Amino acid sequence: MREIVAKRIGEVVKKLCVEANTNLSEDVAEAIKKALNKEKSPTGQEILRQIQNNAGVAWREKLPLCQDCGLVIVFVEVGQEVHIIDGTIEEAVNNGVRDGYKDGYLRKSAAKDPVKRGNTGDNTPAIIHTEIVPGENIKIRLLTKGGGAENCSAIRMFKPTSTKEEINNFILETVEKAGPNACPPIIVGVGVGGTFDYAALLAKKSLLRQVGERNSDKETAEWENELLVKINKTGIGPMGLGGTTTALAVQIEKYPCHISSLPVAVNIECHAHRYKEAFI
Amino acid sequence: MKSVIQKIQSPITDQAVKALNIGDKVLISGKIIVARDSAHQLFGKNLPFKPRGATLYYASPSPTRKGQIIGSIGPTTSTRMDRFTPDLLKLGVKITIGKGYRGKEVIAAMKKYKAAYLVVPGGIAAANSKYIKKSTVIAYPDLGSEAVLELEVVDFPAIVAIDSKGHDLFVQGKKKYSVK
């Protein structure tokens, strides 16, 4: 049994919030670079260059990459040999978010009530997913997600007899509808299977991969490639002004489901993909 | 579609707005009003700024660090402001700036009142804060990051997405690069 003080989790979350918002991850930078080499539209190229330049300014001046510093989504994988003391995971994570957003001069984008609105003022509460895993470590995977792209996400319950083509059409339809609003070039997270809620979680979890990392299942990896080609043929392009880079990657996660169901969720992520992880 | 670089002053004249064409790169100097969802809801008849020739930017910055002019600032999704836009164009607003599509009613009002819609790429908010020389809260300070700001900008870059003739770069650009 390993004891971990809850406060330690908060400190890590705080650091990850600031890093995710100000330091563009290498995998995203690499994906943008690759896209720039292939982009055919001059306006599209110009936008991709601006994205590269912005990452430099943000890093040097400790400014957020995007003014929408997102709602914080935290996946906490707790080793079953770990005993958390002096507090709870939930408190610790929210304390970390609160401190990170205050000290990091990050915009607070959490509405207090979904209908009556108002701002919680400190960007809490975070969306927290905990999972018990083997071992005596804690892994924290943190995503700060902007509202524009999240709003373009969709879910549909297909029939078990639906074809792959019908699913592809739904995903393409979602991307087309999102168009410029999702801040393309986007990352398309797809969850296939499970239940209504679990498909959406799978879609979100697919975004935790390194950008462009293919699914370990060969057939699913090929499906990802096939969809990426289709999406980049739409012509939507960077910021929707036309071009050959609409998506940087398609990332699919699958799970078994009920014999009557085939849920498919599409979680759209903007090019300012802010993700960091750490071990305790 | 031949795109050119145009330097413009804001508030802008009718003539200068009419000269903007889709795909043009625009460098704006002068005053820009920043407002988004909550401020639009509060606008009503007494606007906290002079609408004639005004440029309205849909945004809300991250907090300002000590010694700096403003935090990171980039556009939010314009569609959410569509329901308020025709009335504002009628009052004389000439340029709106944001990201993403505009609705049919907005485009029709843009043609009618001769206005342009510009796009600033989303997610490049750190770099875009560098064109801002002054920022003042002019209304609704209680809204926090959604308060109405007046910015003084120099050579603030944007791209004309929909012009006063109703041409739409989202439609034309997509068509040009789509592969069947």
Side-chain angles (χ1 to χ4, degrees):
Chain A
M1 184 68 75
R2 180 182 166 211
E3 286 193 339
I4 294 178
V5 182
K7 206 177 154 195
R8 179 81 191 104
I9 299 171
E11 287 163 3
V12 170
V13 165
K14 175 186 175 180
K15 192 166 158 255
L16 295 181
C17 284
V18 177
E19 266 183 23
N21 270 297
T22 54
N23 187 2
L24 190 69
S25 298
E26 253 174 60
D27 56 328
V28 186
E30 192 54 38
I32 297 287
K33 197 173 147 194
K34 273 192 195 155
L36 183 55
N37 287 333
K38 284 200 275 185
E39 177 55 54
K40 293 205 176 108
S41 149
T43 305
Q45 291 169 7
E46 162 80 16
I47 291 168
L48 293 171
R49 273 191 295 268
Q50 288 185 14
I51 292 171
Q52 289 181 322
N53 174 49
N54 183 62
V57 175
W59 185 75
R60 281 193 301 275
E61 304 200 17
K62 300 286 161 255
L63 279 166
L65 292 153
C66 180
Q67 78 290 337
D68 181 350
C69 302
L71 204 60
V72 183
I73 302 145
V74 190
F75 291 83
V76 193
E77 292 172 13
V78 185
Q80 61 184 16
E81 308 303 328
V82 172
H83 178 208
I84 295 164
I85 53 168
D86 294 338
T88 67
I89 293 181
E90 193 183 331
E91 272 169 11
V93 167
N94 284 324
N95 287 340
V97 169
R98 188 178 297 114
D99 293 349
Y101 274 68
K102 183 171 175 278
D103 295 358
Y105 288 83
L106 305 175
R107 202 186 75 187
K108 289 85 184 161
S109 311
K112 207 183 287 176
D113 182 290
V115 180
K116 291 187 282 183
R117 312 305 294 179
N119 195 306
T120 63
D122 59 8
N123 219 47
T124 68
I127 308 284
I128 306 169
H129 301 282
T130 44
E131 210 175 305
I132 306 294
V133 299
E136 52 171 30
N137 296 317
I138 293 179
K139 186 177 184 185
I140 298 178
R141 317 178 78 188
L142 184 142
L143 192 62
T144 75
K145 203 149 181 329
E150 188 73 2
N151 283 349
C152 298
S153 304
I155 191 160
R156 188 174 293 173
M157 305 302 280
F158 282 87
K159 291 185 177 62
T161 51
S162 298
T163 61
K164 201 174 118 189
E165 201 189 343
E166 286 174 276
I167 297 173
N168 284 351
N169 287 343
F170 165 61
I171 297 166
L172 279 164
E173 214 178 272
T174 306
V175 170
E176 291 262 7
K177 214 173 146 197
N181 294 14
C183 284
I186 55 176
I187 300 157
V188 184
V190 183
V192 183
T195 47
F196 177 76
D197 54 320
Y198 202 69
L201 183 62
L202 287 173
K204 181 74 85 231
K205 271 190 151 177
S206 78
L207 298 176
L208 307 182
R209 270 193 230 161
Q210 291 279 297
V211 173
E213 182 192 329
R214 297 274 66 95
N215 190 299
S216 54
D217 170 56
K218 203 176 154 222
E219 208 177 305
T220 311
E222 276 165 19
W223 191 11
E224 291 172 342
N225 284 335
E226 179 194 335
L227 270 166
L228 182 62
V229 170
K230 281 182 197 290
I231 288 168
N232 284 336
K233 280 184 178 172
T234 58
I236 293 167
M239 290 318 291
L241 298 176
T244 52
T245 319
T246 301
L248 298 171
V250 177
Q251 297 169 181
I252 304 173
E253 291 292 334
K254 293 200 291 190
Y255 199 80
C257 59
H258 193 281
I259 53 169
S260 320
S261 316
L262 203 182
V264 179
V266 183
N267 195 196
I268 304 280
E269 170 73 315
C270 61
H271 66 78
H273 173 54
R274 288 148 290 174
Y275 171 72
K276 298 281 170 189
E277 58 181 43
F279 279 99
I280 299 176
Chain B
M1 200 163 55
K2 212 178 106 204
S3 63
V4 296
I5 297 174
Q6 296 212 41
K7 282 197 171 219
I8 59 169
Q9 276 294 322
S10 175
I12 192 167
T13 61
D14 290 12
Q15 201 186 357
V17 174
K18 285 183 198 161
L20 298 176
N21 295 305
I22 53 167
D24 286 354
K25 274 188 69 180
V26 174
L27 298 174
I28 310 167
S29 294
K31 287 183 171 142
I32 287 181
I33 305 297
V34 174
R36 57 176 283 168
D37 309 64
S38 304
H40 275 75
Q41 253 176 336
L42 294 173
F43 275 165
K45 285 215 168 106
N46 296 315
L47 290 179
F49 61 93
K50 287 193 185 113
R52 180 112 297 266
T55 298
L56 198 52
Y57 183 18
Y58 308 133
S60 59
S62 65
T64 310
R65 280 180 187 275
K66 243 190 196 145
Q68 293 194 337
I69 297 166
I70 197 163
S72 291
I73 180 165
T76 194
T77 309
S78 307
T79 319
R80 295 197 314 268
M81 266 53 76
D82 275 2
R83 64 169 98 165
F84 306 104
T85 308
D87 285 344
L88 291 166
L89 299 183
K90 192 178 174 186
L91 291 169
V93 171
K94 285 291 168 197
I95 294 176
T96 54
I97 306 177
K99 69 165 168 109
Y101 298 124
R102 299 311 311 246
K104 283 195 186 95
E105 288 84 7
V106 175
I107 299 175
M110 284 173 57
K111 278 169 81 171
K112 186 173 175 188
Y113 302 114
K114 300 292 164 216
Y117 169 57
L118 316 187
V119 160
V120 171
I124 58 158
N128 264 338
S129 66
K130 300 295 146 203
Y131 305 98
I132 295 162
K133 305 302 166 193
K134 197 180 166 193
S135 168
T136 318
V137 175
I138 58 165
Y140 322 134
D142 295 350
L143 293 180
S145 65
E146 289 198 60
V148 179
L149 307 176
E150 184 187 82
L151 304 181
E152 283 183 33
V153 296
V154 175
D155 289 340
F156 178 91
I159 300 161
V160 182
I162 303 170
D163 60 28
S164 60
K165 280 81 73 183
H167 299 142
D168 188 336
L169 185 58
F170 293 120
V171 176
Q172 295 195 19
K174 186 173 184 286
K175 209 168 152 194
K176 192 171 170 186
Y177 291 98
S178 76
V179 184
K180 289 284 169 239

